[in-house]
Amino acid sequence: MRQQFLKWLIQVSRFILALVFIFSGYVKAIDPMGTQYKLQDYLGALHLTGAVPQLLLLGTSVALSALEFTLGILLLFAIRRRQTSRLTFIFMVFMTLVTLGLALSNTVKDCGCFGDAIHLTNTQTLLKNIVLLACSAVVGWKPLYMTRFVRKNTQWIIINYTLVFTLINSLWSLYDLPQFDFRPYRIGVNIPQAMETPAGAPRPQYETTFILSKNGQQKIFTLDNYPDSTWTFIDSKTTLVKAGYVPPIHDFAIEDLRTGDDLTTKILQHKGYTFLLIAPHLETADDGNFGDIDQLYEYAQQQRIPFYGLTASTDKAIRRWIDLTGAEYPFFSTDETVLKTIIRSNPGLLLLHNGIIINKWSHNALPAGDDLLRPIAQATWAKMPQDSVPSKIIVIVLWFVLPLTLLTLADRFWAWSQWVRLKEKKNKDNLYQLFNKKNQYEKENGSR
C-alpha cells in the first residue's frame, strides 16, 4: 500500500513539473528578446548593467528556454529518468534561491518565469518554486518509479526533435516576431481605450510625509498636521498606500524633444492610418533593410499617411541613423521600455488605424515590392491578420504534439507486437518441450 502511494505521488509530481516546465519553456522560446530584457533587469538589480554582452544574454535566453522545454518533455516521457530528475532538482534549487533573493529585495518586480503570458509577484513566484522544488525532490527520490511511455532505443528521436523544435521557434521569433503576443500592444488593441481608466475604478492612494527641523530637532509631518513656517523643510517622501486600477497601457507617451510638445493625443487620435517605426536604440538597430523602410515612407507620402519614428536614442544617434539610411521621416522620443514592449524588433513597424493596432512587422518582413502597388485601403497587409490563436495552436499540435503522439503509439504497438511474438515463441518452446518429454516418456516405457 505504501509503495503504491509513493508511485502515485511520483507520477503526480512528475506531471506537475512537466506541464510547468513545458509551458514556461515554450513562452520563453517564442519570445527570446523578452527573456533577454528580463535578464538585463536581473543584471541591473545586481549593478552589473553592461557587464555582459547583449549577444551572450540573447544566447543565454535561447538556451534557458530550450533547457526548460526539453526538461519538461523528458519528464513527461520519463526519458533518462535518473539524469533528468537530478538536473531538474539542481535547476529548481538554483531558481528557488534566486526567487528567494528577489522576494527579500524586491529589486525586480516580475521574475519573468512565464514570460508575458502570466505575471506573478516575487512572493507568488517563490511559493511556486517551493512547490516545484518539493515535486523535484519526490521525483528524484525514486526516479525509476516514473512510468516510461517509449522504449530506450526510441528516446533519442524525442530528445532531438524537441531540441530542434524549440530552437526553430526561438530563431523564427528572432527573425520575424513571436507567434503569440501576450503584451498590451498586441494586434487589435485600441491604444487610446487601453489607456483609459473606467469610471468608478479605484484610484491609487498616496501619502506624502515631510521631514522638517526646528531648534535642531527633526520631525515627520503629514499634510494633516503640517506645522507653521517656523519649521525648516528638509525632505519629503511620497509612498503608495493603496493600489488602484492601472490601465493595460499607462506609460505610452510621444514627445518632440526639440519643442517639448506632447504629441501622444495628436498621433493616436488621427483618423485613418498611421505608420510608427519603432526603434528603442538606433545605435544598435539593424540598418540592413533601410531601403524597405525608405520605400514604405515614400509609399506613405503618396498615400498621405503620417509616418513617424519613435526612439529612446539621443539626437546624436538619430542624426547618425539619418546619415546612414537617408531617412526623411521625423523622429520623436518615447520611453525605452515601452518601445521594447510594443514590438520585439529593432527596428520594427506598427500600423495604426484610428488608434487601433492593425499589424506589426519585423524589419526582416516589411511590406515591400508588389505589396506597395495598390492603395492602402485595398492592401491585404493593411488588414488585421486572420491567423487566430486557435489556428496557431492547431499548427503547434500538427508540428509537435501529433508527431510525438504518433511516435509513442507506434512505439507502444511495436513493443506490444514484440511481446506477443515472444509470448508465442515461449508457448511454442513450451509445447515443443512437452512433446519431447512425452516422446521420451513413451520410449522409456515402451522399452520395458
Side-chain angles (χ1 to χ4, degrees):
M1 185 68 179
R2 180 177 174 274
Q3 188 179 26
Q4 286 299 113
F5 174 76
L6 180 59
K7 287 183 177 180
W8 175 85
L9 183 62
I10 288 174
Q11 302 303 334
V12 172
S13 300
R14 156 206 181 180
F15 286 120
I16 291 174
L17 285 166
L19 293 176
V20 172
F21 272 52
I22 290 171
F23 179 74
S24 176
Y26 182 75
V27 295
K28 288 190 184 77
I30 62 171
D31 188 14
M33 290 184 70
T35 307
Q36 177 190 1
Y37 297 151
K38 184 56 62 177
L39 292 175
Q40 288 176 345
D41 292 342
Y42 282 120
L43 291 176
L46 297 173
H47 307 289
L48 295 174
T49 302
V52 180
Q54 294 300 309
L55 188 60
L56 180 58
L57 279 179
L58 184 59
T60 303
S61 167
V62 174
L64 178 62
S65 61
L67 174 62
E68 279 194 78
F69 188 79
T70 304
L71 274 178
I73 295 297
L74 296 183
L75 286 166
L76 182 64
F77 285 87
I79 295 173
R80 304 287 176 85
R81 291 174 288 184
R82 289 190 181 92
Q83 297 92 326
T84 298
S85 60
R86 289 170 188 162
L87 186 56
T88 301
F89 181 73
I90 293 171
F91 183 81
M92 285 314 308
V93 168
F94 174 76
M95 294 307 299
T96 304
L97 291 175
V98 170
T99 51
L100 175 61
L102 289 177
L104 294 175
S105 63
N106 204 35
T107 49
V108 178
K109 300 301 181 184
D110 176 28
C111 72
C113 50
F114 294 123
D116 286 299
I118 300 175
H119 294 280
L120 300 177
T121 65
N122 289 326
T123 302
Q124 291 171 336
T125 302
L126 177 60
L127 294 175
K128 183 259 300 179
N129 282 350
I130 290 174
V131 172
L132 295 181
L133 178 62
C135 289
S136 66
V138 170
V139 170
W141 185 21
K142 296 285 186 180
L144 297 184
Y145 279 11
M146 288 190 288
T147 304
R148 287 192 304 208
F149 289 166
V150 294
R151 295 169 303 140
K152 283 186 177 181
N153 54 358
T154 309
Q155 293 177 357
W156 68 272
I157 302 176
I158 295 178
I159 296 172
N160 292 334
Y161 189 70
T162 298
L163 285 171
V164 169
F165 175 80
T166 184
L167 290 175
I168 286 177
N169 271 273
S170 293
L171 294 175
W172 179 257
S173 297
L174 287 172
Y175 179 82
D176 194 356
L177 293 175
Q179 295 94 318
F180 295 92
D181 191 349
F182 303 105
R183 301 179 301 279
Y185 298 91
R186 56 188 171 272
I187 293 174
V189 168
N190 186 314
I191 297 179
Q193 288 184 5
M195 296 172 67
E196 296 176 354
T197 299
R203 301 280 180 174
Q205 297 179 12
Y206 298 91
E207 181 182 55
T208 302
T209 56
F210 304 89
I211 302 175
L212 305 176
S213 69
K214 182 179 181 180
N215 299 329
Q217 291 185 342
Q218 289 188 1
K219 286 188 177 181
I220 298 177
F221 299 91
T222 65
L223 288 172
D224 297 330
N225 63 349
Y226 197 87
D228 56 41
S229 59
T230 60
W231 289 80
T232 303
F233 175 82
I234 302 296
D235 197 7
S236 66
K237 183 180 180 181
T238 301
T239 57
L240 179 66
V241 177
K242 184 179 179 181
Y245 175 82
V246 178
I249 298 176
H250 56 275
D251 47 7
F252 182 74
I254 303 172
E255 181 183 358
D256 188 338
L257 290 180
R258 292 173 298 176
T259 63
D261 294 337
D262 187 339
L263 305 176
T264 311
T265 302
K266 175 186 175 182
I267 292 176
L268 294 182
Q269 296 295 337
H270 173 74
K271 298 299 180 182
Y273 291 96
T274 303
F275 283 109
L276 297 179
L277 181 71
I278 309 296
H281 292 293
L282 288 171
E283 300 90 333
T284 56
D286 192 320
D287 58 3
N289 295 313
F290 73 86
D292 291 339
I293 298 174
D294 291 344
Q295 187 180 10
L296 268 168
Y297 174 67
E298 293 175 3
Y299 174 81
Q301 293 290 95
Q302 296 170 4
Q303 298 290 315
R304 300 183 181 278
I305 300 170
F307 191 111
Y308 308 107
L310 304 185
T311 183
S313 296
T314 62
D315 285 338
K316 180 180 179 181
I318 294 174
R319 288 195 300 270
R320 180 178 177 275
W321 176 267
I322 292 174
D323 291 340
L324 285 174
T325 65
E328 299 179 359
Y329 40 87
F331 275 97
F332 300 126
S333 177
T334 301
D335 179 72
E336 170 192 352
T337 302
V338 172
L339 295 176
K340 289 179 177 180
T341 305
I342 291 175
I343 193 167
R344 301 300 200 210
S345 181
N346 185 28
L349 188 69
L350 210 66
L351 178 63
L352 305 182
H353 185 260
N354 299 335
I356 300 173
I357 300 175
I358 298 297
N359 215 334
K360 290 182 177 185
W361 297 275
S362 160
H363 61 84
N364 292 313
L366 295 170
D370 294 342
D371 288 340
L372 305 180
L373 295 180
R374 58 179 64 89
I376 193 167
Q378 301 174 12
T380 56
W381 51 267
K383 297 178 176 59
M384 287 191 190
Q386 299 300 313
D387 51 340
S388 61
V389 172
S391 65
K392 293 178 180 178
I393 294 176
I394 291 174
V395 171
I396 296 171
V397 170
L398 292 176
W399 281 102
F400 187 72
V401 179
L402 182 59
L404 291 189
T405 301
L406 294 176
L407 176 64
T408 303
L409 293 175
D411 183 83
R412 290 297 84 200
F413 177 78
W414 179 260
W416 174 79
S417 62
Q418 288 287 90
W419 177 80
V420 170
R421 283 196 293 268
L422 288 173
K423 189 173 182 180
E424 290 177 349
K425 185 177 182 301
K426 186 176 180 181
N427 290 336
K428 289 180 180 179
D429 291 342
N430 290 337
L431 288 173
Y432 182 74
Q433 291 176 5
L434 287 174
F435 181 76
N436 286 340
K437 287 181 179 179
K438 180 183 177 183
N439 289 339
Q440 185 68 25
Y441 178 78
E442 291 176 349
K443 288 179 180 179
E444 291 177 353
N445 289 335
S447 61
R448 292 177 181 176

